Amino acid sequence: MIRMRFFLSALAGLLFMSWQACAEVPAGFVALREVAPEVVVELRYLGANNFVGEPVDGYLAERCFLTTEAADALARVQARLVAFSLGLKVFDAYRPQRAVDHFVRWASDLEDTRRKADYYPRVAKDRLFAEGYIAARSGHSRGSTVDLTIVSIDGERRQELDMGTPFDFFGPESHALSKSVTAQQRANRMLLRRVMVEQGFRPLAEEWWHFTLSNEPYPDTYFDFPVE
């Protein structure tokens, strides 16, 4: 009996150490707050304010991870904007593969349309894969892609600039160069695009909020450590 208790205790210890190792942030990644603490972080997939309507697998804390190169570039964008009483607000950065898998399961469940009116009012849910809104792989899992917007800074107050559509809105209105938004909204999008491109990020035509570091360090690696 003593040997059995010792064996079970040792096994539990090994499992705990294995779990810790799996949960470690890989070398080459950094928490954004360590590089650019002034950037506002509002991880939408941590809670229910997203197109799925519930917390997404892999998001356990309001922490934003990026590759060191992407985080440094984002810090330079923030510094550029602060001079004009503006700053950045991040909705998502590194995204675990398990979160992408959650999106795929959600998109396959055609009965779950609780957030349709807010995020995809004119797109049939059975078309989300075909039209490219959901995929089995995401550049976010490589660690150098970020979803974000610009905020105005007035003392302690941070107000998002009007970009014409919410973050993660599925539709052509979210295309960076869409003519369906006002001139001011388009100008706000172009300001975001300009400051991001200046620091080496590549925009995505279909999503005004989405940027990937052009020289990303892990172009073929999809990570799955949790955000915690």
Side-chain angles (χ1 to χ4, degrees), residues 177-217:
L177 303 179
S178 173
K179 298 296 179 64
S180 66
V181 300
T182 68
Q184 183 60 61
Q185 291 164 343
R186 194 157 55 250
N188 292 341
R189 294 180 181 190
M190 291 305 99
L191 173 60
L192 176 61
R193 186 187 185 105
R194 177 180 175 180
V195 294
M196 292 295 286
V197 169
E198 282 178 349
Q199 299 303 329
F201 286 94
R202 180 177 69 252
L204 181 66
E206 294 80 11
E207 298 176 352
W208 59 259
W209 56 81
H210 180 113
F211 296 86
T212 299
L213 192 68
S214 294
N215 295 319
E216 56 180 313

Side-chain angles (χ1 to χ4, degrees), residues 30-33 41 43 62-66 90 92-94 227:
V30 66
L32 181 61
R33 67 184 178 193
V41 174
L43 293 184
E62 192 92 273
R63 300 187 71 196
C64 175
F65 291 101
L66 285 166
V90 172
D92 194 33
Y94 158 73
V227 175

Side-chain angles (χ1 to χ4, degrees), residues 36-50:
E38 311 87 1
V39 173
V40 179
V41 174
E42 184 188 318
L43 293 184
R44 290 294 186 85
Y45 304 136
L46 179 63
N49 185 19
N50 57 62

